[in-house]
Amino acid sequence: MAISTSDPTGIPSYDFLSPQRIVFGWGRRSEIGAIASSLGRRAFVVLGSRSLERNGQFTELLDLLRAAAVTPVHVTSIAHEPEVADVDRLAAELAKCSLGDGDFLIGIGGGSAIDLAKAAAAMATNRESQSVVDYLEGVGRGLTIDKPPLPMMALPTTAGTGSEATKNAVISSYDPPFKKSLRSDAMVPRVVLVDPEITQSVPPDVTAHTGMDAITQLIESYISRRAKPIPQALAIHSLRMAVAALPEAVTDGKCRWARDAMAHAALLSGIALANSGLGVAHGVAAALGSLCRVRHGLACAVMLPAALRMNQSVSRQLLAKLGRAIGCQAANDDEAAEQFIQRIEQLVSTLQIASRLRELNVAFDEIRALVDASHGNSLSSNPREISDDELCSVLEKMW
Ligand SMILES: [Zn+2]
């Protein structure tokens, strides 16, 4: 068979980062004791799911830990995206616990709980500053995570952010407003336990928004200017399933194949974004989160179609590949890319997600500030440069 040499760049040089151990499967939270005992003996637990507390599953998890000779210490619960004060408080509390070998964290919840646990695990051992602000990208003193964080295990209860597999924690502030990452290769959770069964109790709107976050992450990492072959293979594999599964998971929360597909898509989207970066949809989503308090998944869902249109000209071939992967029949790349974008627009509309910024309570005169706050790691990975004026006019048209 002839090997094509038409691409002169060949395979790019790359690093690939992922959790050390991934345990995936329906019902496998029953194994939490044995899995956690490989990390240590005292587990500081951060919980982000009220429904788990209500339906008794949280108590069951703690009992399973104790049965495996792991002492759980439920240090905090969180019901909002983590803020600077949340991280500082928890890290200070942990630092007072005579930390040593055998201590680790477990984050159980959506991205908020897992991000809080990851950030606190890092800040508990890195005490050059008492505040995480000094370690965040683009704000503070620019300190870095030099000492290894406490080991960390993640058990996601929603299917979306992929935080269980990423090397950053997104931390918000509202005064002054920003949404920035604490980032270090050492922050990737050591062990990830994904049990899709646990996502059955997630309500339809949260399922839709978090699912669109995962889909946005798969697509943005795939066309990112830092895209790499392993994450691209993961993204194309799981996008195919996610696009079909998400409407089903929203309509029938008990549907096993759909919950499986979405939990897997979220996990792989985390691995993909940790290695390849994201794009303009996530750049603007961060701004919508910090300035207008729009939830992350919803912000991504609203921005994704516009992001695809902004990148259509430079990412045509890649978007065409995604289109063919999800079953678009097209004579050429132009058509396949166009059909792919239309499928995503349809998906967003099927899920009854807003398409106008004013529906998110964004004021028209906030758009300039949104553009300014969109700069950061995500925007810098977008496949093409987008000027502030262009972004401003796109957002104005979306208002
Ligand atoms: Zn995201």
Side-chain angles (χ1 to χ4, degrees):
M1 194 179 84
I3 293 171
S4 166
T5 52
S6 60
D7 181 357
T9 57
I11 295 170
S13 130
Y14 67 85
D15 284 23
F16 181 70
L17 203 67
S18 85
Q20 229 170 55
R21 183 178 179 198
I22 293 171
V23 178
F24 182 94
W26 195 264
R28 294 195 69 184
R29 65 187 181 284
S30 62
E31 298 170 42
I32 191 173
I35 297 163
S37 66
S38 69
L39 285 182
R41 287 282 159 260
R42 179 168 62 161
F44 299 106
V45 181
V46 176
L47 178 68
S49 167
R50 283 206 197 105
S51 63
L52 235 62
E53 226 164 3
R54 275 198 302 268
N55 65 21
Q57 286 179 337
F58 183 55
T59 309
E60 281 170 27
L61 292 171
L62 297 183
D63 288 343
L64 288 165
L65 290 170
R66 288 189 198 98
V70 175
T71 305
V73 183
H74 177 194
V75 278
T76 192
S77 293
I78 181 158
H80 53 262
E81 293 177 8
E83 296 169 31
V84 168
D86 298 313
V87 179
D88 292 350
R89 197 165 39 235
L90 181 54
E93 202 177 310
L94 293 176
K96 280 191 254 160
C97 290
S98 337
L99 297 174
D101 279 353
D103 287 328
F104 65 106
L105 271 98
I106 306 183
I108 302 176
S112 298
I114 294 173
D115 275 0
L116 175 59
K118 280 158 76 176
M123 293 301 297
T125 53
N126 290 270
R127 304 297 295 156
E128 195 178 329
S129 164
Q130 308 292 301
S131 179
V132 69
V133 168
D134 291 324
Y135 294 83
L136 294 179
E137 286 175 352
V139 288
R141 290 159 56 195
L143 298 177
T144 50
I145 305 294
D146 297 325
K147 300 196 183 79
L150 292 175
M152 156 89 194
M153 171 173 173
L155 196 164
T157 59
T158 62
T161 67
S163 171
E164 62 271 21
T166 68
K167 58 182 173 182
N168 66 310
V170 181
I171 310 300
S172 300
S173 161
Y174 298 104
D175 185 22
F178 61 75
K179 196 162 183 174
K180 294 287 176 189
S181 274
L182 178 67
R183 197 183 306 268
S184 158
D185 286 0
M187 283 172 59
V188 179
R190 188 89 55 90
V191 179
V192 179
L193 172 55
V194 183
D195 177 354
E197 189 181 20
I198 221 166
T199 65
Q200 281 185 315
S201 56
V202 179
D205 60 333
V206 180
T207 300
H209 298 163
T210 50
M212 281 309 300
D213 183 18
I215 286 174
T216 306
Q217 288 167 179
L218 291 171
I219 298 170
E220 291 209 292
S221 66
Y222 190 84
I223 65 174
S224 153
R225 66 173 70 184
R226 296 194 281 123
K228 299 177 179 71
I230 297 176
Q232 281 184 320
L234 299 179
I236 208 157
H237 162 83
S238 47
L239 187 69
R240 186 183 298 137
M241 286 192 285
V243 168
L246 183 54
E248 189 65 29
V250 170
T251 315
D252 175 10
K254 302 281 177 213
C255 177
R256 177 166 173 172
W257 73 264
R259 291 298 193 182
D260 266 342
M262 289 316 300
H264 205 231
L267 169 70
L268 299 195
S269 79
I271 298 175
L273 83 89
N275 287 283
S276 297
L278 292 163
V280 62
H282 270 79
V284 179
L288 285 167
S290 62
L291 295 181
C292 309
R293 297 203 180 219
V294 182
R295 302 280 300 189
H296 178 71
L298 175 59
C300 288
V302 173
M303 285 310 302
L304 179 59
L308 293 176
R309 291 288 173 206
M310 280 186 262
N311 290 314
Q312 185 169 7
S313 59
V314 295
S315 305
R316 184 176 296 111
Q317 279 184 322
L318 290 173
L319 293 173
K321 279 189 191 170
L322 292 177
R324 292 194 173 98
I326 64 166
C328 299
Q329 309 279 339
N332 56 48
D333 282 356
D334 278 348
E335 266 180 44
E338 176 60 31
Q339 284 182 28
F340 176 70
I341 297 176
Q342 288 176 11
R343 279 287 300 278
I344 296 298
E345 287 167 343
Q346 257 168 30
L347 177 65
V348 170
S349 125
T350 305
L351 297 172
Q352 298 181 313
I353 284 166
S355 59
R356 301 255 142 225
L357 294 178
R358 70 173 87 100
E359 296 173 75
L360 307 178
N361 292 324
V362 175
F364 189 81
D365 58 12
E366 281 177 304
I367 288 177
R368 234 336 132 175
L370 281 174
V371 171
D372 292 342
S374 297
H375 291 276
N377 198 275
S378 293
L379 196 59
S380 69
S381 301
N382 194 67
R384 74 176 183 84
E385 208 77 53
I386 295 172
S387 73
D388 284 1
D389 285 344
E390 181 186 354
L391 187 54
C392 196
S393 106
V394 169
L395 296 181
E396 282 174 2
K397 284 195 196 102
M398 285 180 70
W399 191 81

